[in-house]
Amino acid sequence: MRSFTYERARTPAEAASAVATMRGAKFLAGGTNLLDLMKLEIEAPSHLVDVQDLDFGEIADTDDGGIRIGAMVSNTMLSAHPRVRRDYAVLTRAIQAGASGQLRNKATTAGNLLQRTRCSYFYDTNMPCNKRRPGDGCSAIGGSSRQLGVIGISDSCIATYPGDMAVAMRVLDAVVETVTPDGSTRSIPIADFHRLWGDTPQEETVLERGELITAVTLPRPRGGKHFYHKVRDRRSYAFALVSVAAVIQDDQTGQVAFGGVAPKPWRVPEAEELLPQGAAAVVSRAFAEARPTDQNKFKIPLAERTLAGIIADARS
Amino acid sequence: MPLRMKINGEARELELDTRTTLLDALREHLQLTGTKKGCDHGQCGACTVIVNGERINSCLSLAVQHEGDEITTIEGLGTPGDLHPMQAAFVKHDGYQCGYCTPGQICSAVSVLKEIRNGVPSHVTDDLAGDIGLSNIELRERMSGNICRCGAYSNIAEAMTEVAEA
Ligand SMILES: Cc1cc2nc3c(=O)[nH]c(=O)nc-3n(C[C@H](O)[C@H](O)[C@H](O)COP(=O)(O)OP(=O)(O)OC[C@H]3O[C@@H](n4cnc5c(N)ncnc54)[C@H](O)[C@@H]3O)c2cc1C
Ligand code: SF4
C-alpha cells in the first residue's frame, strides 16, 4: 500500500474542500472497498478524509412521507430499519443479498453506491484495463467475460456496476443528496447517478471532485409486492450474475430494474410498461440493444426466467 | 499517528503508520495473535473481531479508523480456564479441525446470535415483519462470511444452536 496522510473531517464543508483542494485526496467511509483496492495499489490516494464523524448516521422520515437515509448509515442498519422492512422491502432484500454480515456492518450507504466494478482484469494489475489506466486497452474484450456486462457497455469497457443496494434504489426512484466544495447542494436522481462507460470508463458517476454524498432520499412508498431475486454462482456471499429488483402491484403493473448486466442498475421505462404482458415482453424490450459476448449471452434468458419467477410469485 | 483504543477491556495506546490495518495492529503491535490473517481482502472472515458490539473484518479497516473504539478479540471473549459459552460449544461439537478460522468463526457466531436477537433480517428470512427464527438455514446464511477449509460448517451450526437455545 502507498503511504498516505489521514484526517477526520468535522464538517461536510471541511471534508468536501479537503478532497477538492488536495491532490490525490479521497473520502473514506467504511473502507471495505477502498482499502481492498489500496492494498492492490489500484487506488493510491495520498490523503484520506475519514467522514465517519459527520452527522450522517440517521434514518429520518421526510415531510412527503418518504425517508432520508444518512450517507454513513450502515448497510445492516438500513436493511433492518422497521420502515424500510415495511415500506421498502425490496431494499432490505437487496442489501441482505449482498456481501457478508461483517461487511454489511461496516459498509455505508454512500460507499456502497460508489463501490467499483469486480471485473477480474480490473483487479489483475498485470493486465491492461482502460478503467485502471485509460488508454491501455480492455483485456475483457476477447477475454473472459462471463461475469461482465451485456448492455450499456462500450468498446472501451464491458464491466458492470456490481452492487445490489443501488438496483433496489433504482426501482424506488431514490435521490442522492450531495454537498459540493463550494458549499452548494445537489439532488441527483439515481437514474442519472452512475454513468455509462463510453470512452471514459474511469469516470463512473456524475460526482465532481470533492462532492460529498450526505444522504439518499426515498419518495413516499408505492405499496405493491417487493422482490429482489439474485442469481449467482453460490447461494450466499457472491456477486450477481443477474439480479432483478421489482415492485409489482395487484394489477400487474410496477417497476423493474436489473443488476449484474450493465454499468448501472438497468431500468427501461418502456419495458416496464409491458409488465402485465409477462417477463418475455419486458426483457426483450429492456435488452433490445444488448451486445453480449458468447460467454455472457446466457444472462438475457436468465434475466427473463428470474423476472418470470417474480411475476409468478406476485400473482400467487 | 498516535491512537487509543480499548481492547478486551483494557485501554491501549499505540503509535502507528496510517497504513496499518486493525488486524495488523492487533497481531503485530499488540501481540494478540488469536485473530488470524487469511485472505486479507474481506473474503474469508478469519480476521473477524467485534468493534463497538458489531462484527467486522479487521483486515479491511485501518487502525486509525478506530480511535476510541472498543474492540473484542477472541482473547477477550474467554480464556482457557473460563471459556465463553460459544467457545465451549465449539469444543463440544467439534466446530473445527485445523482451527485457523476458528477465532473468526467464534467472534462471528457470537455476533450472529446478537444480530438475530436485535431483529436484523437476513437473505433467508421469509417474513420481514415477524420474529426471526433460529433455523439451521438462518445460521448458515449469516455465517457465510466465514470460510472453513476443513468444512466444519455443520458442527459450527450445531454449536451455535446449542448456545442459542441455552
Ligand atoms: C468479499 C466482498 C464481497 C462483497 N460482496 C458484495 C455483494 O455481493 N453485493 C454488493 O452490493 N456489494 C458487495 N461487496 C461490496 C461492499 O458492498 C462495498 O465494499 C461497500 O458497500 C462499500 O462501502 P464502504 O462504506 O466500505 O465504502 P468505502 O470503501 O469507504 O468507499 C468506497 C468509495 O466511496 C467513496 N465515498 C465513501 N463515502 C463517500 C461520501 N459520503 N461521499 C462521496 N464519496 C464517498 C470513497 O472515496 C470510495 O471511493 C463486497 C465486498 C467484499 C470485500
Ligand atoms: S471490462 Fe472495463 S474494467 Fe474490465 S478490463 Fe475492460 S476496461 Fe478494465
Side-chain angles (χ1 to χ4, degrees), chain A residues 9-39:
Chain A
R10 281 162 303 181
T11 64
E14 189 182 290
S17 87
V19 170
T21 52
M22 284 183 73
R23 233 178 116 236
K26 284 203 87 132
F27 299 117
L28 175 68
T32 61
N33 190 230
L34 186 55
L35 275 174
D36 197 9
L37 295 167
M38 284 167 63
K39 288 182 180 190

PDB file of all heavy atoms in Angstrom, chain A residues 9-39:
ATOM      1  N   ALA A   9     -12.677  14.431   9.135  1.00  0.00           N
ATOM      2  CA  ALA A   9     -13.374  15.691   8.882  1.00  0.00           C
ATOM      3  C   ALA A   9     -14.385  15.957   9.993  1.00  0.00           C
ATOM      4  O   ALA A   9     -15.033  15.034  10.486  1.00  0.00           O
ATOM      5  CB  ALA A   9     -14.085  15.618   7.538  1.00  0.00           C
ATOM      6  N   ARG A  10     -14.530  17.236  10.357  1.00  0.00           N
ATOM      7  CA  ARG A  10     -15.504  17.589  11.397  1.00  0.00           C
ATOM      8  C   ARG A  10     -16.788  18.136  10.814  1.00  0.00           C
ATOM      9  O   ARG A  10     -17.831  18.100  11.441  1.00  0.00           O
ATOM     10  CB  ARG A  10     -14.881  18.600  12.377  1.00  0.00           C
ATOM     11  CG  ARG A  10     -13.950  17.942  13.394  1.00  0.00           C
ATOM     12  CD  ARG A  10     -13.041  18.941  14.041  1.00  0.00           C
ATOM     13  NE  ARG A  10     -12.271  19.654  12.996  1.00  0.00           N
ATOM     14  CZ  ARG A  10     -11.377  20.589  13.239  1.00  0.00           C
ATOM     15  NH1 ARG A  10     -11.132  20.956  14.472  1.00  0.00           N
ATOM     16  NH2 ARG A  10     -10.738  21.177  12.240  1.00  0.00           N
ATOM     17  N   THR A  11     -16.712  18.715   9.621  1.00  0.00           N
ATOM     18  CA  THR A  11     -17.934  19.230   8.983  1.00  0.00           C
ATOM     19  C   THR A  11     -17.932  18.784   7.515  1.00  0.00           C
ATOM     20  O   THR A  11     -16.866  18.553   6.936  1.00  0.00           O
ATOM     21  CB  THR A  11     -17.992  20.775   9.007  1.00  0.00           C
ATOM     22  OG1 THR A  11     -16.903  21.261   8.208  1.00  0.00           O
ATOM     23  CG2 THR A  11     -17.884  21.328  10.421  1.00  0.00           C
ATOM     24  N   PRO A  12     -19.132  18.706   6.909  1.00  0.00           N
ATOM     25  CA  PRO A  12     -19.198  18.341   5.495  1.00  0.00           C
ATOM     26  C   PRO A  12     -18.401  19.308   4.627  1.00  0.00           C
ATOM     27  O   PRO A  12     -17.687  18.884   3.700  1.00  0.00           O
ATOM     28  CB  PRO A  12     -20.691  18.423   5.179  1.00  0.00           C
ATOM     29  CG  PRO A  12     -21.381  18.256   6.491  1.00  0.00           C
ATOM     30  CD  PRO A  12     -20.460  18.827   7.533  1.00  0.00           C
ATOM     31  N   ALA A  13     -18.466  20.604   4.949  1.00  0.00           N
ATOM     32  CA  ALA A  13     -17.764  21.597   4.138  1.00  0.00           C
ATOM     33  C   ALA A  13     -16.257  21.352   4.190  1.00  0.00           C
ATOM     34  O   ALA A  13     -15.558  21.418   3.165  1.00  0.00           O
ATOM     35  CB  ALA A  13     -18.093  23.004   4.631  1.00  0.00           C
ATOM     36  N   GLU A  14     -15.771  21.043   5.402  1.00  0.00           N
ATOM     37  CA  GLU A  14     -14.338  20.783   5.578  1.00  0.00           C
ATOM     38  C   GLU A  14     -13.928  19.548   4.765  1.00  0.00           C
ATOM     39  O   GLU A  14     -12.887  19.539   4.089  1.00  0.00           O
ATOM     40  CB  GLU A  14     -14.108  20.540   7.074  1.00  0.00           C
ATOM     41  CG  GLU A  14     -12.688  20.451   7.520  1.00  0.00           C
ATOM     42  CD  GLU A  14     -12.629  20.159   9.028  1.00  0.00           C
ATOM     43  OE1 GLU A  14     -12.974  21.066   9.821  1.00  0.00           O
ATOM     44  OE2 GLU A  14     -12.268  19.024   9.397  1.00  0.00           O
ATOM     45  N   ALA A  15     -14.767  18.517   4.817  1.00  0.00           N
ATOM     46  CA  ALA A  15     -14.459  17.287   4.083  1.00  0.00           C
ATOM     47  C   ALA A  15     -14.405  17.558   2.581  1.00  0.00           C
ATOM     48  O   ALA A  15     -13.456  17.174   1.889  1.00  0.00           O
ATOM     49  CB  ALA A  15     -15.508  16.217   4.391  1.00  0.00           C
ATOM     50  N   ALA A  16     -15.438  18.233   2.086  1.00  0.00           N
ATOM     51  CA  ALA A  16     -15.525  18.481   0.643  1.00  0.00           C
ATOM     52  C   ALA A  16     -14.348  19.330   0.179  1.00  0.00           C
ATOM     53  O   ALA A  16     -13.721  19.043  -0.846  1.00  0.00           O
ATOM     54  CB  ALA A  16     -16.856  19.157   0.306  1.00  0.00           C
ATOM     55  N   SER A  17     -14.015  20.376   0.941  1.00  0.00           N
ATOM     56  CA  SER A  17     -12.948  21.236   0.450  1.00  0.00           C
ATOM     57  C   SER A  17     -11.595  20.554   0.575  1.00  0.00           C
ATOM     58  O   SER A  17     -10.715  20.750  -0.267  1.00  0.00           O
ATOM     59  CB  SER A  17     -12.987  22.614   1.114  1.00  0.00           C
ATOM     60  OG  SER A  17     -12.278  22.591   2.302  1.00  0.00           O
ATOM     61  N   ALA A  18     -11.413  19.688   1.579  1.00  0.00           N
ATOM     62  CA  ALA A  18     -10.134  18.962   1.686  1.00  0.00           C
ATOM     63  C   ALA A  18      -9.924  18.080   0.455  1.00  0.00           C
ATOM     64  O   ALA A  18      -8.835  18.057  -0.128  1.00  0.00           O
ATOM     65  CB  ALA A  18     -10.109  18.117   2.952  1.00  0.00           C
ATOM     66  N   VAL A  19     -10.954  17.365   0.049  1.00  0.00           N
ATOM     67  CA  VAL A  19     -10.786  16.470  -1.102  1.00  0.00           C
ATOM     68  C   VAL A  19     -10.670  17.269  -2.404  1.00  0.00           C
ATOM     69  O   VAL A  19      -9.940  16.881  -3.317  1.00  0.00           O
ATOM     70  CB  VAL A  19     -11.933  15.433  -1.159  1.00  0.00           C
ATOM     71  CG1 VAL A  19     -11.908  14.654  -2.463  1.00  0.00           C
ATOM     72  CG2 VAL A  19     -11.824  14.471   0.024  1.00  0.00           C
ATOM     73  N   ALA A  20     -11.375  18.404  -2.461  1.00  0.00           N
ATOM     74  CA  ALA A  20     -11.309  19.207  -3.688  1.00  0.00           C
ATOM     75  C   ALA A  20      -9.947  19.865  -3.864  1.00  0.00           C
ATOM     76  O   ALA A  20      -9.460  19.999  -4.987  1.00  0.00           O
ATOM     77  CB  ALA A  20     -12.406  20.273  -3.673  1.00  0.00           C
ATOM     78  N   THR A  21      -9.319  20.263  -2.781  1.00  0.00           N
ATOM     79  CA  THR A  21      -8.099  21.058  -2.925  1.00  0.00           C
ATOM     80  C   THR A  21      -6.814  20.230  -2.852  1.00  0.00           C
ATOM     81  O   THR A  21      -5.811  20.605  -3.440  1.00  0.00           O
ATOM     82  CB  THR A  21      -8.019  22.174  -1.854  1.00  0.00           C
ATOM     83  OG1 THR A  21      -8.224  21.584  -0.580  1.00  0.00           O
ATOM     84  CG2 THR A  21      -9.057  23.241  -2.095  1.00  0.00           C
ATOM     85  N   MET A  22      -6.850  19.090  -2.139  1.00  0.00           N
ATOM     86  CA  MET A  22      -5.611  18.310  -2.028  1.00  0.00           C
ATOM     87  C   MET A  22      -5.527  17.294  -3.150  1.00  0.00           C
ATOM     88  O   MET A  22      -6.417  16.468  -3.297  1.00  0.00           O
ATOM     89  CB  MET A  22      -5.551  17.591  -0.683  1.00  0.00           C
ATOM     90  CG  MET A  22      -5.191  18.535   0.440  1.00  0.00           C
ATOM     91  SD  MET A  22      -5.052  17.663   1.995  1.00  0.00           S
ATOM     92  CE  MET A  22      -3.533  16.782   1.772  1.00  0.00           C
ATOM     93  N   ARG A  23      -4.457  17.352  -3.899  1.00  0.00           N
ATOM     94  CA  ARG A  23      -4.295  16.390  -4.988  1.00  0.00           C
ATOM     95  C   ARG A  23      -4.210  14.980  -4.434  1.00  0.00           C
ATOM     96  O   ARG A  23      -3.510  14.736  -3.455  1.00  0.00           O
ATOM     97  CB  ARG A  23      -3.021  16.716  -5.780  1.00  0.00           C
ATOM     98  CG  ARG A  23      -3.321  16.857  -7.260  1.00  0.00           C
ATOM     99  CD  ARG A  23      -2.078  17.234  -8.044  1.00  0.00           C
ATOM    100  NE  ARG A  23      -1.751  16.164  -8.962  1.00  0.00           N
ATOM    101  CZ  ARG A  23      -0.588  15.549  -8.991  1.00  0.00           C
ATOM    102  NH1 ARG A  23       0.366  15.877  -8.162  1.00  0.00           N
ATOM    103  NH2 ARG A  23      -0.376  14.601  -9.872  1.00  0.00           N
ATOM    104  N   GLY A  24      -4.932  14.047  -5.035  1.00  0.00           N
ATOM    105  CA  GLY A  24      -4.836  12.652  -4.600  1.00  0.00           C
ATOM    106  C   GLY A  24      -5.608  12.340  -3.328  1.00  0.00           C
ATOM    107  O   GLY A  24      -5.438  11.266  -2.759  1.00  0.00           O
ATOM    108  N   ALA A  25      -6.452  13.278  -2.866  1.00  0.00           N
ATOM    109  CA  ALA A  25      -7.234  13.010  -1.653  1.00  0.00           C
ATOM    110  C   ALA A  25      -8.520  12.277  -1.996  1.00  0.00           C
ATOM    111  O   ALA A  25      -9.081  12.458  -3.078  1.00  0.00           O
ATOM    112  CB  ALA A  25      -7.551  14.328  -0.947  1.00  0.00           C
ATOM    113  N   LYS A  26      -8.971  11.425  -1.067  1.00  0.00           N
ATOM    114  CA  LYS A  26     -10.236  10.706  -1.248  1.00  0.00           C
ATOM    115  C   LYS A  26     -10.978  10.643   0.074  1.00  0.00           C
ATOM    116  O   LYS A  26     -10.370  10.662   1.146  1.00  0.00           O
ATOM    117  CB  LYS A  26      -9.987   9.260  -1.714  1.00  0.00           C
ATOM    118  CG  LYS A  26      -9.600   9.137  -3.171  1.00  0.00           C
ATOM    119  CD  LYS A  26      -9.910   7.746  -3.706  1.00  0.00           C
ATOM    120  CE  LYS A  26     -11.330   7.668  -4.202  1.00  0.00           C
ATOM    121  NZ  LYS A  26     -11.522   7.089  -5.488  1.00  0.00           N
ATOM    122  N   PHE A  27     -12.315  10.518  -0.031  1.00  0.00           N
ATOM    123  CA  PHE A  27     -13.110  10.253   1.166  1.00  0.00           C
ATOM    124  C   PHE A  27     -12.924   8.796   1.574  1.00  0.00           C
ATOM    125  O   PHE A  27     -12.751   7.914   0.728  1.00  0.00           O
ATOM    126  CB  PHE A  27     -14.607  10.473   0.891  1.00  0.00           C
ATOM    127  CG  PHE A  27     -14.945  11.870   0.488  1.00  0.00           C
ATOM    128  CD1 PHE A  27     -15.485  12.134  -0.775  1.00  0.00           C
ATOM    129  CD2 PHE A  27     -14.757  12.928   1.358  1.00  0.00           C
ATOM    130  CE1 PHE A  27     -15.813  13.419  -1.158  1.00  0.00           C
ATOM    131  CE2 PHE A  27     -15.082  14.223   0.982  1.00  0.00           C
ATOM    132  CZ  PHE A  27     -15.613  14.472  -0.279  1.00  0.00           C
ATOM    133  N   LEU A  28     -13.018   8.551   2.878  1.00  0.00           N
ATOM    134  CA  LEU A  28     -13.013   7.188   3.402  1.00  0.00           C
ATOM    135  C   LEU A  28     -14.265   7.018   4.261  1.00  0.00           C
ATOM    136  O   LEU A  28     -14.498   7.802   5.180  1.00  0.00           O
ATOM    137  CB  LEU A  28     -11.763   6.962   4.269  1.00  0.00           C
ATOM    138  CG  LEU A  28     -11.671   5.615   4.992  1.00  0.00           C
ATOM    139  CD1 LEU A  28     -11.475   4.472   4.008  1.00  0.00           C
ATOM    140  CD2 LEU A  28     -10.533   5.628   6.016  1.00  0.00           C
ATOM    141  N   ALA A  29     -15.063   6.003   3.949  1.00  0.00           N
ATOM    142  CA  ALA A  29     -16.241   5.720   4.786  1.00  0.00           C
ATOM    143  C   ALA A  29     -15.959   4.428   5.544  1.00  0.00           C
ATOM    144  O   ALA A  29     -15.107   4.409   6.433  1.00  0.00           O
ATOM    145  CB  ALA A  29     -17.482   5.650   3.917  1.00  0.00           C
ATOM    146  N   GLY A  30     -16.611   3.314   5.194  1.00  0.00           N
ATOM    147  CA  GLY A  30     -16.307   2.048   5.869  1.00  0.00           C
ATOM    148  C   GLY A  30     -14.917   1.535   5.516  1.00  0.00           C
ATOM    149  O   GLY A  30     -14.239   0.894   6.308  1.00  0.00           O
ATOM    150  N   GLY A  31     -14.507   1.802   4.285  1.00  0.00           N
ATOM    151  CA  GLY A  31     -13.190   1.364   3.820  1.00  0.00           C
ATOM    152  C   GLY A  31     -13.186  -0.017   3.182  1.00  0.00           C
ATOM    153  O   GLY A  31     -12.150  -0.471   2.699  1.00  0.00           O
ATOM    154  N   THR A  32     -14.331  -0.690   3.129  1.00  0.00           N
ATOM    155  CA  THR A  32     -14.334  -2.092   2.679  1.00  0.00           C
ATOM    156  C   THR A  32     -14.064  -2.239   1.186  1.00  0.00           C
ATOM    157  O   THR A  32     -13.641  -3.296   0.736  1.00  0.00           O
ATOM    158  CB  THR A  32     -15.651  -2.811   3.018  1.00  0.00           C
ATOM    159  OG1 THR A  32     -16.729  -2.138   2.346  1.00  0.00           O
ATOM    160  CG2 THR A  32     -15.907  -2.838   4.511  1.00  0.00           C
ATOM    161  N   ASN A  33     -14.300  -1.202   0.416  1.00  0.00           N
ATOM    162  CA  ASN A  33     -13.933  -1.270  -0.998  1.00  0.00           C
ATOM    163  C   ASN A  33     -12.622  -0.516  -1.233  1.00  0.00           C
ATOM    164  O   ASN A  33     -11.699  -1.025  -1.876  1.00  0.00           O
ATOM    165  CB  ASN A  33     -15.055  -0.712  -1.875  1.00  0.00           C
ATOM    166  CG  ASN A  33     -14.815  -0.993  -3.358  1.00  0.00           C
ATOM    167  OD1 ASN A  33     -14.901  -0.101  -4.184  1.00  0.00           O
ATOM    168  ND2 ASN A  33     -14.505  -2.227  -3.704  1.00  0.00           N
ATOM    169  N   LEU A  34     -12.516   0.665  -0.666  1.00  0.00           N
ATOM    170  CA  LEU A  34     -11.332   1.491  -0.925  1.00  0.00           C
ATOM    171  C   LEU A  34     -10.057   0.822  -0.417  1.00  0.00           C
ATOM    172  O   LEU A  34      -9.038   0.779  -1.118  1.00  0.00           O
ATOM    173  CB  LEU A  34     -11.522   2.875  -0.286  1.00  0.00           C
ATOM    174  CG  LEU A  34     -10.432   3.888  -0.581  1.00  0.00           C
ATOM    175  CD1 LEU A  34     -10.213   4.061  -2.073  1.00  0.00           C
ATOM    176  CD2 LEU A  34     -10.771   5.243   0.053  1.00  0.00           C
ATOM    177  N   LEU A  35     -10.074   0.277   0.799  1.00  0.00           N
ATOM    178  CA  LEU A  35      -8.858  -0.338   1.344  1.00  0.00           C
ATOM    179  C   LEU A  35      -8.460  -1.583   0.564  1.00  0.00           C
ATOM    180  O   LEU A  35      -7.282  -1.844   0.344  1.00  0.00           O
ATOM    181  CB  LEU A  35      -9.090  -0.738   2.802  1.00  0.00           C
ATOM    182  CG  LEU A  35      -8.850   0.366   3.793  1.00  0.00           C
ATOM    183  CD1 LEU A  35      -9.246  -0.103   5.175  1.00  0.00           C
ATOM    184  CD2 LEU A  35      -7.373   0.707   3.776  1.00  0.00           C
ATOM    185  N   ASP A  36      -9.478  -2.343   0.162  1.00  0.00           N
ATOM    186  CA  ASP A  36      -9.240  -3.531  -0.656  1.00  0.00           C
ATOM    187  C   ASP A  36      -8.439  -3.121  -1.904  1.00  0.00           C
ATOM    188  O   ASP A  36      -7.421  -3.736  -2.251  1.00  0.00           O
ATOM    189  CB  ASP A  36     -10.621  -4.092  -1.047  1.00  0.00           C
ATOM    190  CG  ASP A  36     -10.570  -5.520  -1.537  1.00  0.00           C
ATOM    191  OD1 ASP A  36      -9.511  -6.149  -1.424  1.00  0.00           O
ATOM    192  OD2 ASP A  36     -11.615  -5.999  -2.021  1.00  0.00           O
ATOM    193  N   LEU A  37      -8.878  -2.040  -2.549  1.00  0.00           N
ATOM    194  CA  LEU A  37      -8.218  -1.585  -3.777  1.00  0.00           C
ATOM    195  C   LEU A  37      -6.876  -0.913  -3.488  1.00  0.00           C
ATOM    196  O   LEU A  37      -5.956  -0.969  -4.311  1.00  0.00           O
ATOM    197  CB  LEU A  37      -9.147  -0.639  -4.540  1.00  0.00           C
ATOM    198  CG  LEU A  37     -10.419  -1.319  -5.061  1.00  0.00           C
ATOM    199  CD1 LEU A  37     -11.436  -0.286  -5.532  1.00  0.00           C
ATOM    200  CD2 LEU A  37     -10.100  -2.295  -6.193  1.00  0.00           C
ATOM    201  N   MET A  38      -6.738  -0.294  -2.320  1.00  0.00           N
ATOM    202  CA  MET A  38      -5.450   0.324  -1.955  1.00  0.00           C
ATOM    203  C   MET A  38      -4.384  -0.742  -1.719  1.00  0.00           C
ATOM    204  O   MET A  38      -3.210  -0.553  -2.034  1.00  0.00           O
ATOM    205  CB  MET A  38      -5.616   1.204  -0.718  1.00  0.00           C
ATOM    206  CG  MET A  38      -6.291   2.542  -1.032  1.00  0.00           C
ATOM    207  SD  MET A  38      -6.839   3.430   0.443  1.00  0.00           S
ATOM    208  CE  MET A  38      -5.287   3.738   1.274  1.00  0.00           C
ATOM    209  N   LYS A  39      -4.798  -1.870  -1.152  1.00  0.00           N
ATOM    210  CA  LYS A  39      -3.822  -2.945  -0.921  1.00  0.00           C
ATOM    211  C   LYS A  39      -3.234  -3.436  -2.237  1.00  0.00           C
ATOM    212  O   LYS A  39      -2.089  -3.872  -2.291  1.00  0.00           O
ATOM    213  CB  LYS A  39      -4.492  -4.115  -0.203  1.00  0.00           C
ATOM    214  CG  LYS A  39      -4.804  -3.800   1.244  1.00  0.00           C
ATOM    215  CD  LYS A  39      -5.419  -4.999   1.950  1.00  0.00           C
ATOM    216  CE  LYS A  39      -5.703  -4.626   3.397  1.00  0.00           C
ATOM    217  NZ  LYS A  39      -6.071  -5.787   4.204  1.00  0.00           N
TER     218      LYS A  39
END
